[in-house]
Amino acid sequence: DTFLADPTHFGALRRAADNGVVFEQTAEMVEYSGRGAIVTKLPIVGGTAERAQRAFTTGGNVARVLWWEALEDTAMRQGGKGLNELADFVNKATGVMSTRNLGISELQRVREAAALFAPRYTRAAIGLMTDTLRGGLKGQLAREALVKMATVGSIAYIGMANVMGQKPYLDPRPASLGGDGGKFFTLQIGDARVGIGGSILSISRLLAHSYAAAVDDPKQFISISSEDQPFLRFFRGKLSPAASMSWDTISGRNFLGEPIEPFANFPDFDNMKKFAEEEGLKRMTPFWMESVVGDNPRAGGAGLVGEFFGMRSFPVSLWERRNDMRTEYTEQYLAAHPSLREMGFESWDDLPRTEQIRIEREHPDLEDATDLAQSQSLDRSDALQKSMTAHRDEYATARNDFI
């Protein structure tokens, strides 16, 4: 607020606003904690939420003023059109857009707000990426911004990954098509994976998913499953809490593929009441608290802090945790049996099954971790996958008994 009150910056703010730059009283992403909102009246967290909202909103407004100041002279060389294009670019690059100025009716804005999460932010991101295909100052600024964002972001991410001794994940394609999936641009911090979020990233992943599907599996485009169809998956990830809950209820599965059965034992309403309470709590929780309330397993403190500061986070999967345990116990086993390393065995996958079974028997928690991960995967699978899993379990049991 002090920055914006400075005469120099306030003058830039007035000129930017006169040319169409949007300055928000409450940022769309944190409207839940704006002045007068229910969450601000809660004890302890209310004051913190309101202060966080003001900081988030002010940060966006300051960024717009600074961007305007940096490029105003360049835009003025092209006259009024240049200033209008600069204003449009600044809005889109900082995730704001006046749908009223676009001529969108009040009824349409209400519908979008009910169906989508942060519709103006999403529209702005799509508009910025679309502008890269255009000419003029608008296209030039959009291309330069995205190139710089991608270059600086990639260098910073790879550097942090190297410092932390982790593998950088740079392939935005889904894991099912050979990419890094949700791990794209994330780092493991404790029991959570934390990385850059936002619509620019999700749109990049949509484009990568679409390209990979077109090359490797075109049938995904006619699938009615949001787990496979690129545009359905993108759209489902942008739904508002109410619309998302409705989709989950109708499809019988949530975004991760876990089964949801609100109408089980109908007309017994106890299950429906439990579903409404649990799922409603998840949907109405602020996004930075979701990893604590809704994730299974929990993402921990790292996920909470990352989400609070605008990052995306999700818990390290049960399979990843199991694999980390395998790596740790295999290193201990090879250290205790140096002859195996002399024979060329360096990892769990290298070891014969007989040695793997010995490690599992020495560490019952490893077998428990595998059972827990398999149980979660089974919950998320369809009938055919469950049948195949049961068959594999029978075969594995017989093989282990024989060994």
Side-chain angles (χ1 to χ4, degrees):
D1 293 347
T2 303
F3 174 90
L4 296 176
D6 180 273
T8 301
H9 300 306
F10 185 73
L13 183 152
R14 290 291 300 272
R15 295 192 302 275
D18 288 343
N19 283 279
V21 174
V22 177
F23 292 96
E24 300 176 302
Q25 291 185 332
T26 301
E28 182 183 27
M29 299 290 288
V30 289
E31 285 178 333
Y32 71 89
S33 57
R35 181 174 297 177
I38 295 176
V39 69
T40 62
K41 295 178 171 58
L42 297 176
I44 303 176
V45 300
T48 301
E50 189 170 4
R51 287 190 294 272
Q53 176 274 128
R54 287 201 301 268
F56 191 95
T57 301
T58 301
N61 289 335
V62 168
R64 288 171 205 114
V65 170
L66 290 174
W67 222 326
W68 180 268
E69 291 176 347
L71 297 172
E72 185 177 17
D73 289 343
T74 300
M76 286 180 66
R77 298 191 190 105
Q78 300 187 26
K81 178 183 177 182
L83 292 174
N84 290 335
E85 289 191 351
L86 173 59
D88 186 61
F89 163 74
V90 170
N91 284 337
K92 291 174 180 175
T94 55
V96 296
M97 180 174 285
S98 174
T99 49
R100 182 179 288 105
N101 291 345
L102 291 175
I104 298 174
S105 68
E106 180 69 23
L107 179 59
Q108 179 65 19
R109 293 198 296 271
V110 170
R111 288 171 175 169
E112 289 184 359
L116 301 173
F117 176 74
R120 299 191 300 276
Y121 175 74
T122 301
R123 192 191 297 271
I126 294 174
L128 180 64
M129 299 195 76
T130 302
D131 286 347
T132 61
L133 304 176
R134 296 178 176 174
L137 180 63
K138 183 187 297 186
Q140 176 188 339
L141 293 176
R143 288 188 292 273
E144 289 178 355
L146 288 179
V147 168
K148 291 175 181 177
M149 193 184 307
T151 303
V152 174
S154 297
I155 292 173
Y157 170 65
I158 293 172
M160 287 188 289
N162 288 335
V163 168
M164 298 177 68
Q166 297 184 23
K167 171 188 173 183
Y169 294 97
L170 301 170
D171 190 339
R173 294 177 300 161
S176 60
L177 294 174
D180 294 325
K183 294 181 182 179
F184 176 61
F185 258 62
T186 64
L187 296 169
Q188 182 172 340
I189 304 176
D191 290 333
R193 299 205 69 89
V194 180
I196 300 171
S199 285
I200 297 294
L201 188 79
S202 61
I203 293 170
S204 300
R205 293 177 63 187
L206 166 65
L207 296 175
H209 186 178
S210 300
Y211 175 78
V215 173
D216 299 327
D217 189 8
K219 291 182 179 179
Q220 288 195 1
F221 286 106
I222 60 174
S223 172
I224 61 173
S225 170
S226 62
E227 297 179 38
D228 300 322
Q229 218 286 346
F231 296 100
L232 273 181
R233 185 171 183 82
F234 174 80
F235 177 72
R236 188 173 183 180
K238 298 297 180 184
L239 292 177
S240 67
S244 174
M245 189 172 178
S246 299
W247 188 311
D248 293 354
T249 303
I250 294 171
S251 66
R253 290 184 179 272
N254 63 18
F255 188 78
L256 297 176
E258 298 169 331
I260 291 178
E261 300 177 337
F263 302 112
N265 303 320
F266 186 82
D268 183 355
F269 290 98
D270 288 342
N271 194 57
M272 294 178 63
K273 180 181 178 182
K274 181 180 179 182
F275 168 79
E277 291 174 348
E278 293 180 354
E279 295 300 317
L281 175 62
K282 293 179 186 177
R283 299 305 196 285
M284 301 313 294
T285 299
F287 62 86
W288 51 271
M289 281 287 291
E290 286 180 354
S291 60
V292 175
V293 175
D295 287 341
N296 179 31
R298 301 277 191 249
L304 176 64
V305 173
E307 292 276 5
F308 186 81
F309 286 101
M311 309 290 280
R312 65 186 177 101
S313 72
F314 55 92
V316 175
S317 73
L318 294 176
W319 286 112
E320 284 186 89
R321 298 184 188 193
R322 190 286 307 268
N323 292 340
D324 289 343
M325 294 172 65
R326 276 186 171 180
T327 299
E328 178 185 352
Y329 293 150
T330 299
E331 286 296 321
Q332 296 175 5
Y333 190 76
L334 291 175
H337 301 83
S339 60
L340 291 174
R341 201 181 292 276
E342 292 173 1
M343 295 169 63
F345 300 119
E346 296 291 342
S347 67
W348 172 274
D349 293 334
D350 294 337
L351 292 173
R353 182 55 188 157
T354 50
E355 302 298 335
Q356 293 175 349
I357 290 175
R358 290 192 178 99
I359 294 176
E360 289 175 338
R361 288 176 177 171
E362 289 180 9
H363 302 280
D365 56 330
L366 176 58
E367 194 166 1
D368 292 342
T370 300
D371 291 341
L372 185 61
Q374 286 179 339
S375 175
Q376 186 182 71
S377 296
L378 195 60
D379 286 340
R380 297 177 179 177
S381 61
D382 56 26
L384 176 60
Q385 291 173 316
K386 290 180 179 179
S387 177
M388 294 174 63
T389 299
H391 177 73
R392 285 197 299 269
D393 288 345
E394 291 177 4
Y395 172 77
T397 300
R399 180 189 61 189
N400 291 343
D401 290 343
F402 174 77
I403 293 175

